[in-house]
Amino acid sequence: MRIGLLIDSLIGGGAERVVLNFAQAFQQQGHDVHIVLVKNEIQHVVPGDIRIHTLSDDGHVTHIRALNKILLAWQLRRLVADVESDGHSFDFFISNAEDVDRLSRIAGLDRVFIRYRNSMREYLNAKIGNKTGLKRLIRSARWHMRFRAVYSDRHIITVSDALQNEIVEDVGVAPRTIRTIYNPFDFDFIRSQGAQFAPPVEGPYIVYAAKLERRKRQDVLLRAYAASRARNTHRLVLIGGAYTATDRAWQQKVDELVDELGLRDRVVMPGFQSNPYPWIKHADLFAMASDSEGLPTVLIESLILGTPVVSTDCPTGPSEILTGELASFLCDRNAPLQLAERIDRALDAYPAITDTMLQRFRADYSINQYLQHCTSVH
């Protein structure tokens, strides 16, 4: 089959790595895979013969904002036609970011399956902000209408069960089809990458790998670390880059907080890492402090690498990953003291991590579900 994977770019974090996981897994089954980027920005290592197409250098075909998405959608339509000019049509597309969700609708592409990966409720709340009264009602109505315009009557695949309820019940989207399929993970590849090198960190450490953006709440983790016993025994490694002006402002706040808490000699910030797996594998603990997620890739990858995990119980995903004995290592959002307690307890003792716990995330299981679903729905 010919399969298209649509995403904004291949910079940064987990969503981009998941797209590459898809590409590798589909290709290993003999399918013809094409990744389409809105922006020609690539940081991750792309496996050898996977074809990459770009619609623009930086996401702008014109500086006239009202026309830009229309022209990008036209570029997308033309690109698809060029690839299909050999007589072999795309069997289906998987859309992996909000911008390409919109562009694929404007372009009128057939057989697009939207892999919805973040909390729509949290995204909506962020757009509404702290407005009150009539302004809040107007903004809320406008954003609800936008979501419904993009996502209603479309095929949606959520990455966690909780997202289904948010999309249908909270936001009022009426999809053509909706189901949950967990993201694919190649256990052998992740473990082989984890064995590539030993990170240059002196002594034992705790790690968090995430883009430097407010939603990831590096500030909460820093406060939790400062309040924990671990600050005396372990360093804290914060992996991740900042890609927008807003992110860089957040990075500065995080950096200032490191000084404020007196942690300059205990915190390591190596920036974006194209291969974060050795950093995770050699850590004594992975600690996540996010306010919202979809299905947090790094939690699953950490467990695959045998690294214990603690996390905020944010919407959505962590409670579907940390189940059974691991559920006690979840804590409330924006609760540094709770997170500090989970960190100390996890370092003292953690349940055995087995592959049986993680079977539902194996690449072959997930990919086969995608292939069955995407070829059976009309």
Side-chain angles (χ1 to χ4, degrees):
M1 285 188 282
R2 175 167 278 170
I3 299 168
L5 302 174
L6 313 177
I7 192 166
D8 291 348
S9 70
L10 286 174
I11 64 169
E16 294 80 7
R17 285 206 309 280
V18 169
V19 167
L20 293 173
N21 290 349
F22 269 109
Q24 280 185 292
F26 283 132
Q27 193 174 65
Q28 285 168 4
Q29 292 198 11
H31 303 295
D32 178 28
V33 182
H34 297 253
I35 298 177
V36 179
L37 308 178
V38 177
K39 296 177 277 192
N40 188 19
E41 296 175 350
I42 301 172
Q43 283 184 317
H44 291 280
V45 177
V46 179
D49 52 353
I50 291 172
R51 275 164 278 199
I52 302 285
H53 309 273
T54 59
L55 303 182
S56 68
D57 287 333
D58 59 0
H60 295 92
V61 180
T62 175
H63 292 294
I64 303 172
R65 188 174 178 181
L67 284 179
N68 194 55
K69 278 196 169 46
I70 294 171
L71 292 176
L72 283 170
W74 179 77
Q75 293 274 67
L76 174 59
R77 183 98 188 175
R78 189 176 71 170
L79 188 153
V80 168
D82 286 346
V83 174
E84 293 182 336
S85 63
D86 62 0
H88 185 185
S89 298
F90 279 94
D91 290 271
F92 60 87
F93 299 89
I94 300 174
S95 180
N96 298 274
E98 281 80 5
D99 271 356
V100 284
D101 296 345
R102 284 187 279 272
L103 290 181
S104 60
R105 166 142 268 179
I106 297 169
L109 293 189
D110 292 328
R111 303 191 62 74
V112 176
F113 291 81
I114 293 170
R115 188 180 68 84
Y116 205 83
R117 56 250 127 238
N118 291 312
S119 171
M120 194 176 278
R121 183 202 306 150
E122 295 296 317
Y123 187 69
L124 187 60
N125 288 341
K127 291 299 183 183
I128 295 170
N130 58 3
K131 301 294 183 184
T132 58
L134 183 60
K135 286 184 178 179
R136 183 176 184 84
L137 288 173
I138 292 171
R139 183 170 287 193
S140 177
R142 185 168 72 242
W143 276 101
H144 274 84
M145 286 174 61
R146 286 189 185 183
F147 277 128
R148 290 168 190 163
V150 174
Y151 296 107
S152 286
D153 196 35
R154 302 192 76 182
H155 301 298
I156 297 177
I157 298 173
T158 59
V159 299
S160 65
D161 287 328
L163 281 177
Q164 281 201 40
N165 295 329
E166 285 195 8
I167 290 170
V168 176
E169 302 297 331
D170 294 359
V171 185
V173 170
R176 187 178 303 180
T177 62
I178 187 166
R179 68 167 295 184
T180 296
I181 304 176
Y182 290 132
N183 290 333
F185 293 84
D186 185 334
F187 287 27
D188 292 338
F189 175 78
I190 290 168
R191 288 167 178 164
S192 69
Q193 290 295 295
Q196 290 294 309
F197 61 87
V201 181
E202 184 180 338
Y205 63 91
I206 298 163
V207 69
Y208 183 29
K211 287 181 184 178
L212 283 161
E213 61 178 356
R214 190 182 189 284
R215 179 171 63 91
K216 301 298 185 177
R217 297 309 300 264
Q218 285 87 356
D219 62 323
V220 171
L221 179 56
L222 282 168
R223 294 186 188 281
Y225 172 70
S228 73
R229 299 193 310 270
R231 69 176 294 172
N232 300 315
T233 58
H234 290 68
R235 294 183 185 275
L236 176 63
V237 176
L238 299 177
I239 295 173
Y243 306 105
T244 67
T246 302
D247 293 347
R248 286 188 286 274
W250 178 250
Q251 182 179 23
Q252 184 175 342
K253 286 185 178 181
V254 169
D255 200 55
E256 290 169 356
L257 184 58
V258 171
D259 286 328
E260 180 186 320
L261 295 172
L263 298 174
R264 182 55 62 189
D265 62 339
R266 304 299 295 164
V267 175
V268 179
M269 298 180 68
F272 170 79
Q273 300 295 310
S274 60
N275 180 9
Y277 299 122
W279 297 82
I280 297 171
K281 174 184 169 60
H282 289 275
D284 284 351
L285 180 69
F286 186 98
M288 192 181 88
S290 294
D291 272 348
S292 70
E293 291 285 343
L295 185 76
T297 298
V298 286
L299 291 190
I300 299 165
E301 291 171 335
S302 297
L303 294 171
I304 291 169
L305 290 165
T307 302
V309 165
V310 298
S311 175
T312 48
D313 189 12
C314 65
T316 58
S319 64
E320 295 181 39
I321 298 168
L322 300 184
T323 59
E325 291 181 279
L326 304 187
S328 67
F329 294 96
L330 294 166
C331 71
D332 294 339
R333 290 185 293 176
N334 195 20
L337 294 181
Q338 283 188 30
L339 186 55
E341 186 274 334
R342 305 305 191 272
I343 288 171
D344 289 338
R345 186 154 51 84
L347 289 173
D348 288 341
Y350 202 81
I353 302 166
T354 67
D355 280 1
T356 303
M357 295 176 175
L358 306 170
Q359 282 295 106
R360 63 198 185 281
F361 302 116
R362 279 197 174 277
D364 53 355
Y365 180 74
S366 173
I367 288 298
N368 287 335
Q369 284 190 304
Y370 265 92
L371 290 171
Q372 290 168 13
H373 181 64
C374 295
T375 54
S376 65
V377 170
H378 299 287

